Amino acid sequence: MRTIRKQAFAWAMLLAAVLFLPEAWGQISAAKKPSRRSENRISHLKEMESRVFRLINEVRRKKGLPMLDKDEALTATARAHSDDMLRRNFFSHVNPDGLSLKDRLAPVTAATMSRAGENIWSGSGQDYSDSKLLARVIVDSWMSSPGHRANILNPDYTHVGIGIGVMGKEIRATQVFAQIKSRK
């Protein structure tokens, strides 16, 4: 009689495992950390880009300089460079292929531009959920660097594009400044 009970218990356990394991397995697998694919996806922090734009124009206004206009072509160039730095894990004005800002701008605005400059910023492990705070950190770091400050306060620049990207825990920000004559 004991053997029959043990066999019945074993069959019941096996049946329960077969019937309920897929549901439990789905819960376990759903609790895993994000896949490598989602960690390699780049998001553009557009609200932070807007905050950086407002902050640099505030600095320029306080110095009696004309405000910069946003330019979509420059923004696309800035975002593309931030993305490239994230994807290929470098931090430089010149990419691993040897292309500089001048090379990256040539197909976009060369005919209408007489001068250009670029600021870049890199962060790792930053909390980018507070866009107001991080935008201030980025602009303050540029303003404390003589070369970056000179770009922000250059009276000849008329337009700017800002691209801020995040991938995993890495953030890259790029500002592209230009003196644009006219665009037809």
Side-chain angles (χ1 to χ4, degrees):
M1 193 74 161
R2 278 191 127 166
T3 307
I4 295 174
R5 273 190 175 162
K6 285 183 181 179
Q7 283 182 336
F9 180 75
W11 281 107
M13 293 303 291
L14 182 62
L15 182 61
V18 170
L19 292 175
F20 298 108
L21 183 62
E23 184 176 327
W25 183 257
Q27 292 170 358
I28 292 168
S29 64
K32 287 182 182 176
K33 71 177 198 171
S35 69
R36 296 292 268 164
R37 179 183 286 166
S38 66
E39 289 176 4
N40 291 331
R41 189 174 324 150
I42 295 175
S43 300
H44 295 120
L45 305 178
K46 294 178 182 178
E47 180 182 340
M48 196 176 306
E49 292 171 354
S50 294
R51 287 184 184 279
V52 168
F53 175 75
R54 287 192 299 272
L55 287 170
I56 62 170
N57 268 329
E58 180 182 311
V59 168
R60 288 176 65 89
R61 183 186 55 76
K62 287 179 181 176
K63 296 289 184 180
L65 297 169
M67 305 291 241
L68 296 170
D69 292 326
K70 279 185 189 179
D71 184 85
E72 290 305 314
L74 297 178
T75 296
T77 301
R79 284 184 184 150
H81 189 58
S82 291
D83 292 357
D84 191 26
M85 288 190 290
L86 286 166
R87 279 193 189 97
R88 296 202 280 173
N89 194 28
F90 72 96
F91 181 68
S92 176
H93 295 282
V94 179
N95 74 17
D97 300 327
L99 298 177
S100 68
L101 173 63
K102 183 179 178 181
D103 300 316
R104 289 182 270 121
L105 282 175
V108 179
T109 58
T112 61
M113 189 176 13
S114 60
R115 163 184 313 236
E118 179 178 68
N119 288 346
I120 57 175
W121 181 90
S122 175
S124 183
Q126 303 282 341
D127 177 13
Y128 56 88
S129 63
D130 185 349
S131 65
K132 185 176 182 181
L133 176 64
L134 191 53
R136 173 58 66 189
V137 167
I138 293 169
V139 172
D140 286 350
S141 69
W142 280 330
M143 290 303 293
S144 65
S145 162
H148 295 111
R149 179 183 178 88
N151 278 338
I152 291 171
L153 299 178
N154 187 324
D156 296 328
Y157 290 142
T158 58
H159 293 77
V160 68
I162 301 164
I164 302 175
V166 62
M167 183 173 75
K169 295 182 179 187
E170 297 294 317
I171 301 174
R172 299 294 181 274
T174 304
Q175 284 181 310
V176 177
F177 300 91
Q179 180 181 38
I180 296 178
K181 302 172 196 171
S182 66
R183 239 194 223 140
K184 294 179 182 179

